[in-house]
mmCIF file of all heavy atoms in Angstrom:
data_model
loop_
_atom_site.group_PDB
_atom_site.id
_atom_site.type_symbol
_atom_site.label_atom_id
_atom_site.label_comp_id
_atom_site.label_asym_id
_atom_site.label_seq_id
_atom_site.Cartn_x
_atom_site.Cartn_y
_atom_site.Cartn_z
ATOM 1 N N THR A 4 4.221 -22.915 23.577
ATOM 2 C CA THR A 4 3.566 -24.221 23.560
ATOM 3 C C THR A 4 2.081 -24.078 23.831
ATOM 4 O O THR A 4 1.239 -24.652 23.142
ATOM 5 C CB THR A 4 4.205 -25.148 24.608
ATOM 6 O OG1 THR A 4 5.595 -25.266 24.329
ATOM 7 C CG2 THR A 4 3.553 -26.510 24.582
ATOM 8 N N ALA A 12 -6.984 -25.761 19.234
ATOM 9 C CA ALA A 12 -8.356 -25.776 19.738
ATOM 10 C C ALA A 12 -9.232 -24.805 18.970
ATOM 11 O O ALA A 12 -10.396 -25.085 18.681
ATOM 12 C CB ALA A 12 -8.360 -25.431 21.227
ATOM 13 N N LEU A 37 -7.702 -18.721 1.369
ATOM 14 C CA LEU A 37 -6.808 -17.727 0.772
ATOM 15 C C LEU A 37 -6.182 -18.260 -0.510
ATOM 16 O O LEU A 37 -5.888 -17.497 -1.438
ATOM 17 C CB LEU A 37 -5.711 -17.329 1.760
ATOM 18 C CG LEU A 37 -6.154 -16.558 3.005
ATOM 19 C CD1 LEU A 37 -4.968 -16.339 3.931
ATOM 20 C CD2 LEU A 37 -6.768 -15.217 2.634
ATOM 21 N N GLY A 81 -16.635 -8.605 -23.732
ATOM 22 C CA GLY A 81 -16.218 -9.108 -22.439
ATOM 23 C C GLY A 81 -15.406 -10.384 -22.471
ATOM 24 O O GLY A 81 -15.067 -10.924 -21.418
ATOM 25 N N GLY A 98 -1.566 0.280 -30.021
ATOM 26 C CA GLY A 98 -2.392 -0.769 -29.439
ATOM 27 C C GLY A 98 -2.125 -2.153 -29.978
ATOM 28 O O GLY A 98 -2.907 -3.075 -29.718
ATOM 29 N N ILE A 146 11.233 2.381 -25.984
ATOM 30 C CA ILE A 146 10.662 2.235 -24.647
ATOM 31 C C ILE A 146 11.669 2.790 -23.652
ATOM 32 O O ILE A 146 12.856 2.436 -23.690
ATOM 33 C CB ILE A 146 10.352 0.759 -24.314
ATOM 34 C CG1 ILE A 146 9.325 0.192 -25.297
ATOM 35 C CG2 ILE A 146 9.829 0.637 -22.879
ATOM 36 C CD1 ILE A 146 9.064 -1.298 -25.103
ATOM 37 N N THR A 149 13.350 2.523 -16.149
ATOM 38 C CA THR A 149 14.349 2.748 -15.108
ATOM 39 C C THR A 149 14.771 1.411 -14.523
ATOM 40 O O THR A 149 13.995 0.445 -14.500
ATOM 41 C CB THR A 149 13.818 3.661 -13.993
ATOM 42 O OG1 THR A 149 12.621 3.093 -13.438
ATOM 43 C CG2 THR A 149 13.509 5.057 -14.522
ATOM 44 N N PRO A 166 42.439 -17.965 -0.822
ATOM 45 C CA PRO A 166 43.159 -18.989 -1.586
ATOM 46 C C PRO A 166 42.228 -19.683 -2.577
ATOM 47 O O PRO A 166 41.019 -19.815 -2.343
ATOM 48 C CB PRO A 166 43.644 -19.968 -0.511
ATOM 49 C CG PRO A 166 43.603 -19.195 0.760
ATOM 50 C CD PRO A 166 42.483 -18.231 0.621
ATOM 51 N N GLN A 197 18.611 4.438 -12.492
ATOM 52 C CA GLN A 197 18.935 5.283 -13.644
ATOM 53 C C GLN A 197 17.933 5.058 -14.773
ATOM 54 O O GLN A 197 17.227 4.045 -14.811
ATOM 55 C CB GLN A 197 20.349 4.985 -14.150
ATOM 56 C CG GLN A 197 21.441 5.094 -13.098
ATOM 57 C CD GLN A 197 21.693 6.514 -12.611
ATOM 58 O OE1 GLN A 197 21.066 7.471 -13.072
ATOM 59 N NE2 GLN A 197 22.609 6.671 -11.657
ATOM 60 N N HIS A 217 19.271 9.039 -7.453
ATOM 61 C CA HIS A 217 18.220 8.195 -8.022
ATOM 62 C C HIS A 217 17.407 8.995 -9.041
ATOM 63 O O HIS A 217 17.043 10.147 -8.798
ATOM 64 C CB HIS A 217 17.286 7.685 -6.925
ATOM 65 C CG HIS A 217 17.928 6.675 -6.023
ATOM 66 N ND1 HIS A 217 18.266 5.409 -6.439
ATOM 67 C CD2 HIS A 217 18.294 6.750 -4.713
ATOM 68 C CE1 HIS A 217 18.806 4.740 -5.440
ATOM 69 N NE2 HIS A 217 18.843 5.524 -4.385
ATOM 70 N N ARG A 292 4.526 19.392 7.997
ATOM 71 C CA ARG A 292 3.509 18.642 8.717
ATOM 72 C C ARG A 292 3.625 17.165 8.363
ATOM 73 O O ARG A 292 4.113 16.798 7.293
ATOM 74 C CB ARG A 292 2.110 19.146 8.377
ATOM 75 C CG ARG A 292 1.780 20.533 8.909
ATOM 76 C CD ARG A 292 0.361 20.923 8.523
ATOM 77 N NE ARG A 292 0.196 21.002 7.072
ATOM 78 C CZ ARG A 292 -0.976 21.070 6.451
ATOM 79 N NH1 ARG A 292 -2.097 21.038 7.153
ATOM 80 N NH2 ARG A 292 -1.035 21.152 5.140
ATOM 81 N N ARG A 310 0.754 27.141 -12.245
ATOM 82 C CA ARG A 310 -0.442 27.551 -11.523
ATOM 83 C C ARG A 310 -1.138 26.321 -10.959
ATOM 84 O O ARG A 310 -1.057 25.225 -11.515
ATOM 85 C CB ARG A 310 -1.400 28.341 -12.408
ATOM 86 C CG ARG A 310 -1.949 27.574 -13.606
ATOM 87 C CD ARG A 310 -2.732 28.510 -14.534
ATOM 88 N NE ARG A 310 -3.211 27.836 -15.719
ATOM 89 C CZ ARG A 310 -4.438 27.339 -15.862
ATOM 90 N NH1 ARG A 310 -5.308 27.432 -14.856
ATOM 91 N NH2 ARG A 310 -4.816 26.751 -16.990
ATOM 92 N N THR A 321 -3.904 12.090 -5.939
ATOM 93 C CA THR A 321 -2.809 11.122 -5.937
ATOM 94 C C THR A 321 -2.582 10.447 -7.285
ATOM 95 O O THR A 321 -1.651 9.647 -7.406
ATOM 96 C CB THR A 321 -3.052 10.040 -4.868
ATOM 97 O OG1 THR A 321 -4.322 9.414 -5.100
ATOM 98 C CG2 THR A 321 -3.046 10.653 -3.465
ATOM 99 N N LEU A 323 -3.318 11.039 -11.888
ATOM 100 C CA LEU A 323 -3.916 11.819 -12.976
ATOM 101 C C LEU A 323 -3.478 11.272 -14.316
ATOM 102 O O LEU A 323 -2.408 10.659 -14.434
ATOM 103 C CB LEU A 323 -3.542 13.294 -12.873
ATOM 104 C CG LEU A 323 -2.133 13.711 -13.332
ATOM 105 C CD1 LEU A 323 -2.148 15.132 -13.860
ATOM 106 C CD2 LEU A 323 -1.142 13.592 -12.202
ATOM 107 N N GLY A 357 -19.003 8.612 -12.112
ATOM 108 C CA GLY A 357 -19.954 7.764 -11.390
ATOM 109 C C GLY A 357 -19.453 6.401 -10.986
ATOM 110 O O GLY A 357 -20.101 5.391 -11.292
ATOM 111 N N LYS A 379 -10.063 8.601 -25.606
ATOM 112 C CA LYS A 379 -11.393 9.205 -25.659
ATOM 113 C C LYS A 379 -12.141 9.146 -24.332
ATOM 114 O O LYS A 379 -13.332 9.441 -24.285
ATOM 115 C CB LYS A 379 -12.218 8.535 -26.758
ATOM 116 C CG LYS A 379 -11.668 8.781 -28.163
ATOM 117 C CD LYS A 379 -12.571 8.171 -29.223
ATOM 118 C CE LYS A 379 -12.026 8.443 -30.625
ATOM 119 N NZ LYS A 379 -12.901 7.843 -31.677
ATOM 120 N N THR A 389 -17.987 -5.378 -0.275
ATOM 121 C CA THR A 389 -17.710 -6.024 1.007
ATOM 122 C C THR A 389 -17.652 -7.537 0.868
ATOM 123 O O THR A 389 -17.073 -8.221 1.712
ATOM 124 C CB THR A 389 -18.788 -5.661 2.044
ATOM 125 O OG1 THR A 389 -20.067 -6.110 1.567
ATOM 126 C CG2 THR A 389 -18.826 -4.158 2.291
ATOM 127 N N PRO A 447 -30.635 -11.310 15.159
ATOM 128 C CA PRO A 447 -30.795 -9.896 15.526
ATOM 129 C C PRO A 447 -30.915 -9.729 17.039
ATOM 130 O O PRO A 447 -31.581 -10.511 17.717
ATOM 131 C CB PRO A 447 -32.091 -9.502 14.818
ATOM 132 C CG PRO A 447 -32.221 -10.465 13.679
ATOM 133 C CD PRO A 447 -31.645 -11.749 14.176
ATOM 134 N N GLY A 448 -30.201 -8.750 17.565
ATOM 135 C CA GLY A 448 -30.261 -8.461 18.988
ATOM 136 C C GLY A 448 -29.397 -9.354 19.856
ATOM 137 O O GLY A 448 -29.491 -9.287 21.084
ATOM 138 N N ASP A 552 -8.767 -1.168 30.560
ATOM 139 C CA ASP A 552 -8.743 -2.620 30.766
ATOM 140 C C ASP A 552 -10.025 -3.264 30.240
ATOM 141 O O ASP A 552 -10.364 -4.389 30.617
ATOM 142 C CB ASP A 552 -8.543 -2.949 32.239
ATOM 143 C CG ASP A 552 -9.657 -2.382 33.131
ATOM 144 O OD1 ASP A 552 -10.604 -1.760 32.602
ATOM 145 O OD2 ASP A 552 -9.563 -2.559 34.364
ATOM 146 N N VAL A 563 4.702 0.543 16.510
ATOM 147 C CA VAL A 563 5.729 1.430 17.055
ATOM 148 C C VAL A 563 5.542 1.400 18.568
ATOM 149 O O VAL A 563 4.435 1.584 19.065
ATOM 150 C CB VAL A 563 5.577 2.871 16.540
ATOM 151 C CG1 VAL A 563 6.617 3.779 17.191
ATOM 152 C CG2 VAL A 563 5.685 2.923 15.026
ATOM 153 N N ASP A 619 10.820 -6.637 8.456
ATOM 154 C CA ASP A 619 10.080 -5.379 8.497
ATOM 155 C C ASP A 619 11.056 -4.267 8.874
ATOM 156 O O ASP A 619 11.567 -4.231 9.986
ATOM 157 C CB ASP A 619 8.958 -5.468 9.538
ATOM 158 C CG ASP A 619 8.010 -4.272 9.501
ATOM 159 O OD1 ASP A 619 8.442 -3.190 9.064
ATOM 160 O OD2 ASP A 619 6.854 -4.423 9.916
ATOM 161 N N ASP A 653 1.175 -6.806 4.679
ATOM 162 C CA ASP A 653 0.565 -8.127 4.862
ATOM 163 C C ASP A 653 0.840 -9.033 3.667
ATOM 164 O O ASP A 653 1.061 -10.234 3.825
ATOM 165 C CB ASP A 653 -0.947 -7.999 5.017
ATOM 166 C CG ASP A 653 -1.365 -7.458 6.370
ATOM 167 O OD1 ASP A 653 -0.499 -6.907 7.078
ATOM 168 O OD2 ASP A 653 -2.547 -7.573 6.714
ATOM 169 N N PRO A 658 0.607 -16.929 1.456
ATOM 170 C CA PRO A 658 -0.768 -17.212 1.893
ATOM 171 C C PRO A 658 -0.835 -18.034 3.179
ATOM 172 O O PRO A 658 -1.661 -17.767 4.050
ATOM 173 C CB PRO A 658 -1.361 -17.970 0.702
ATOM 174 C CG PRO A 658 -0.600 -17.450 -0.473
ATOM 175 C CD PRO A 658 0.799 -17.226 0.027
ATOM 176 N N THR A 665 -3.567 -14.784 11.150
ATOM 177 C CA THR A 665 -4.960 -14.572 11.541
ATOM 178 C C THR A 665 -5.430 -15.653 12.507
ATOM 179 O O THR A 665 -6.140 -15.371 13.484
ATOM 180 C CB THR A 665 -5.855 -14.536 10.298
ATOM 181 O OG1 THR A 665 -5.323 -13.588 9.359
ATOM 182 C CG2 THR A 665 -7.271 -14.114 10.663
#
Side-chain angles (χ1 to χ4, degrees):
T4 302
L37 293 175
I146 299 175
T149 57
Q197 305 292 359
H217 290 291
R292 291 181 297 167
R310 62 188 177 97
T321 56
L323 78 150
K379 295 184 179 180
T389 60
D552 60 2
V563 177
D619 188 334
D653 286 16
T665 308

